[in-house]
């Protein structure tokens, strides 16, 4: 009950994370009404690749920035840029769809994914049973300073289902300790460097998981969340 539904509901059904090969077979807009470059709500588009799908309502999206694990440099997936919704008005190949809502410009090459029925998670906040550690690799929204997240905002973690992350997991947020030089200790004629301890400053609640990434809601924090901050079992 302490988790505000309005903060996470849009993230429960929209395809916000795409696996590296997840766009290969997605239905694609190949033409638009009157050959327009950009179409809006109420306009028609023509889509290849729906096959014999019986789905009537679809999300429209395009692939966004790549999500790279900062520790391994491996591509984990891509953020999906949500563009709006469409309804099938005529089946076939190509099928005809009409845009029912848009949040950004839609055009040729954009992808569709069936809306289906959103699954509302049954979450019971709990710490992972084993020690787990990861990083913050993405932030939705932000405070006045770009790239920071505050309470009730969404962050992306570089750990997912394949790492043992579950819906309901609560992670502690840590700011990595900086490296400092200590002139009183010299190594090879140069000041020695020491890493200060990581500083815990808050909690994050995982509410949606994918194979190698997950979404978490920022809960209690004493300072803004930054990209590359550490998350680990409390």
């Amino acid at each position: 009950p302490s988790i505000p539904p309005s903060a996470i509901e849009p993230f429960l059904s929209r395809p916000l994370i795409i696996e590296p090969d997840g766009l290969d077979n997605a239905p694609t807009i190949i033409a638009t009404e009157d050959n327009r470059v950009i179409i809006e709500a109420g306009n028609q588009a023509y889509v290849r690749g729906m096959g014999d799908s019986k789905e009537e309502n679809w999300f429209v999206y395009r692939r966004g920035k790549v999500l790279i694990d900062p520790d391994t440099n491996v591509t984990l997936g891509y953020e999906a840029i949500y563009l709006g919704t469409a309804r099938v008005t005529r089946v076939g190949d190509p099928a005809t769809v009409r845009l029912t809502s848009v949040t950004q410009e839609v055009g040729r090459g954009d992808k569709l994914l069936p809306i289906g029925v959103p699954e509302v998670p049954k979450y019971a906040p709990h710490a992972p049973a084993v020690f787990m550690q990861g990083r913050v690799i993405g932030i939705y929204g932000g405070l006045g300073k770009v790239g920071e997240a505050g309470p009730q905002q969404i962050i992306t973690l570089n750990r997912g289902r394949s790492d043992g992350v579950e819906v309901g997991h609560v992670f502690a947020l840590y700011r990595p300790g900086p490296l400092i030089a200590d002139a009183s200790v010299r190594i090879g004629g140069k000041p020695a460097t020491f890493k200060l301890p990581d500083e815990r400053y808050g909690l994050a609640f995982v509410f949606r998981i994918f194979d190698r990434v997950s979404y978490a809601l920022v809960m209690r924090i004493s300072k803004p969340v930054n990209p590359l901050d550490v998350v680990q079992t409390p």
Side-chain angles (χ1 to χ4, degrees):
S2 62
I3 308 299
S6 61
I8 64 174
E9 280 177 351
F11 294 84
L12 297 179
S13 56
R14 293 178 185 174
L16 296 176
I17 297 292
I18 301 172
E19 304 296 341
D21 59 353
L23 290 179
D24 294 351
N25 299 315
T28 306
I29 294 177
I30 60 168
T32 58
E33 182 178 348
D34 298 329
N35 203 31
R36 298 175 183 175
V37 175
I38 296 170
I39 53 176
E40 302 175 345
N43 294 152
Q44 289 190 152
Y46 305 93
V47 179
R48 290 290 305 274
M50 285 188 175
D52 58 357
S53 174
K54 300 295 191 280
E55 293 287 343
E56 184 177 2
N57 297 300
W58 298 73
F59 286 122
V60 185
Y61 65 99
R62 71 174 59 106
R63 190 168 73 181
K65 68 179 182 180
V66 62
L67 296 173
I68 297 176
D69 191 313
D71 298 321
T72 64
N73 209 35
V74 171
T75 297
L76 303 177
Y78 297 87
E79 287 188 350
I81 301 173
Y82 174 74
L83 305 178
T85 56
R87 179 186 295 271
V88 175
T89 58
R90 183 174 58 208
V91 297
D93 195 25
T96 303
V97 302
R98 185 174 299 278
L99 296 182
T100 50
S101 67
V102 295
T103 60
Q104 296 189 43
E105 299 172 345
V106 176
R108 287 187 295 273
D110 288 336
K111 303 290 185 173
L112 279 78
L113 192 74
I115 291 178
V117 179
E119 180 181 351
V120 178
K122 297 178 181 178
Y123 45 76
H126 60 286
V130 299
F131 181 79
M132 302 175 66
Q133 190 176 70
R135 299 277 201 116
V136 177
I137 59 171
I139 291 173
Y140 280 88
L143 302 176
K145 182 179 178 182
V146 175
E148 294 184 340
Q152 309 302 318
Q153 288 187 301
I154 308 300
I155 56 177
T156 308
L157 311 181
N158 68 334
R159 296 291 183 266
R161 185 181 297 107
S162 62
D163 303 294
V165 177
E166 301 173 359
V167 170
H169 272 169
V170 175
F171 288 103
L173 291 160
Y174 286 82
R175 183 67 40 81
L179 290 173
I180 63 169
D182 185 353
S184 67
V185 179
R186 306 188 73 82
I187 300 177
K190 297 181 180 180
T193 58
F194 298 89
K195 182 181 182 300
L196 297 182
D198 295 348
E199 179 186 355
R200 176 172 166 167
Y201 66 90
L203 295 171
F205 166 79
V206 175
F207 65 89
R208 190 175 181 192
I209 56 174
F210 301 85
D211 185 44
R212 292 188 289 176
V213 280
S214 57
Y215 282 124
L217 183 70
V218 177
M219 305 300 289
R220 298 186 299 273
I221 55 174
S222 59
K223 60 181 63 178
V225 182
N226 290 336
L228 302 184
D229 280 354
V230 173
V231 295
Q232 69 182 45
T233 302

